[in-house]
Amino acid sequence: QVQLVESGGGLVQAGGSLRLSCAASGLTFRWLSMGWFRQAPGKEREFVGGIGWSGTTDYADSVVGRFTVSRDNAKNTVYLQMNTLKPEDTAVYYCAARTVPNIVETPNGFSSWGQGTQVTVSA
């Protein structure tokens, strides 16, 4: 079982930036594909971005060009760099892990989840 701990959330003004981190333990990190999801009040959890074993990335259309997912296998950590933030990016952000090489965009495709970190973007 993989344990995931997110950090880096907070309050930021529209147009600002935040970097979320997710530290993993319990399994060999380089054999994990990692995803970032978010959930706003009253809405379903949605895919934001992800990175596979080889470093291949995938993003939701709403964040392309603004968000970047990266990983540091030496630190067992995945990052979500968020730039040009908008009020509609406000949500709880979760990282998730799966033990297969590729990324999928559905929450059901991930077996391990972090506790989430709140991101609030003010207008």
Side-chain angles (χ1 to χ4, degrees):
Q1 188 70 12
V2 181
Q3 292 78 47
L4 303 172
V5 179
E6 302 100 334
S7 60
L11 174 64
V12 63
Q13 289 187 333
S17 298
L18 280 175
R19 188 177 80 157
L20 305 184
S21 300
C22 174
S25 62
L27 287 178
T28 303
F29 184 71
R30 65 178 179 270
W31 304 131
L32 298 174
S33 290
M34 304 298 296
W36 286 98
F37 291 78
R38 66 187 180 187
Q39 189 165 18
K43 296 188 177 182
E44 293 185 353
R45 191 169 297 190
E46 65 174 0
F47 175 76
V48 174
I51 187 165
W53 290 4
S54 64
T56 301
T57 55
D58 183 30
Y59 298 95
D61 290 345
S62 60
V63 306
V64 169
R66 300 190 299 124
F67 291 11
T68 303
V69 180
S70 61
R71 64 190 299 158
D72 186 335
N73 289 343
K75 295 183 178 180
N76 294 345
T77 301
V78 62
Y79 303 98
L80 179 65
Q81 177 67 46
M82 304 185 293
N83 299 327
T84 319
L85 283 160
K86 305 175 181 180
E88 51 263 43
D89 294 318
T90 296
V92 177
Y93 283 71
Y94 299 89
C95 73
R98 58 192 254 120
T99 56
V100 291
N102 61 305
I103 309 156
V104 293
E105 298 185 359
T106 56
N108 287 344
F110 291 81
S111 54
S112 299
W113 291 84
Q115 82 287 353
T117 186
Q118 177 70 46
V119 172
T120 302
V121 184
S122 62

